[in-house]
Amino acid sequence: MTPAELGFTDLPTYGQICDRAIELGLAICPREVGPALRLAYPDQPFGEGLRVAMKEVADSLGNRLVFYVGHGGGGPWLGTRWFEPQSVWRLGDQFVFMGPRK
């Protein structure tokens, strides 16, 4: 989902995005969703980038990271995107959440 699809009209922070998704009945992904999604989505459209909504991890410098599943000039790949708590995301950025449990 995008921040716009979650109802944002102004640029939201990562915390605001996750909070809104939870209010709507979605859930934050376990960290293993990033690598699993990369393996399960070999036909991802060129140019698409998906940020996995998850509890962030820190690199050796303390930067906050979430998984990023992308497809670019080198083919499908798995990487990370860093952010600060006050960083804002574009309304069209795509995030992956877990759906409601049945």
Side-chain angles (χ1 to χ4, degrees):
M1 296 191 76
T2 67
E5 291 169 332
L6 292 170
F8 289 98
T9 56
D10 293 323
L11 301 178
T13 65
Y14 184 69
Q16 290 170 323
I17 292 167
C18 292
D19 289 347
R20 177 72 53 85
I22 290 168
E23 288 171 7
L24 296 173
L26 301 173
I28 303 305
C29 299
R31 291 180 178 143
E32 61 267 17
V33 166
L37 180 59
R38 173 66 291 146
L39 292 172
Y41 195 23
D43 56 346
Q44 181 179 14
F46 183 83
E48 182 182 70
L50 304 173
R51 293 138 197 91
V52 178
M54 55 184 255
K55 181 172 173 35
E56 68 268 10
V57 296
D59 66 11
S60 61
L61 300 174
N63 296 314
R64 291 175 169 90
L65 307 168
V66 294
F67 280 120
Y68 185 86
V69 178
H71 186 181
W77 53 275
L78 173 67
T80 57
R81 287 292 186 258
W82 69 269
F83 65 95
E84 294 298 325
Q86 70 277 8
S87 299
V88 293
W89 299 76
R90 296 174 299 192
L91 295 178
D93 287 340
Q94 294 179 295
F95 289 84
V96 175
F97 295 94
M98 301 290 289
R101 294 187 182 231
K102 304 269 183 194

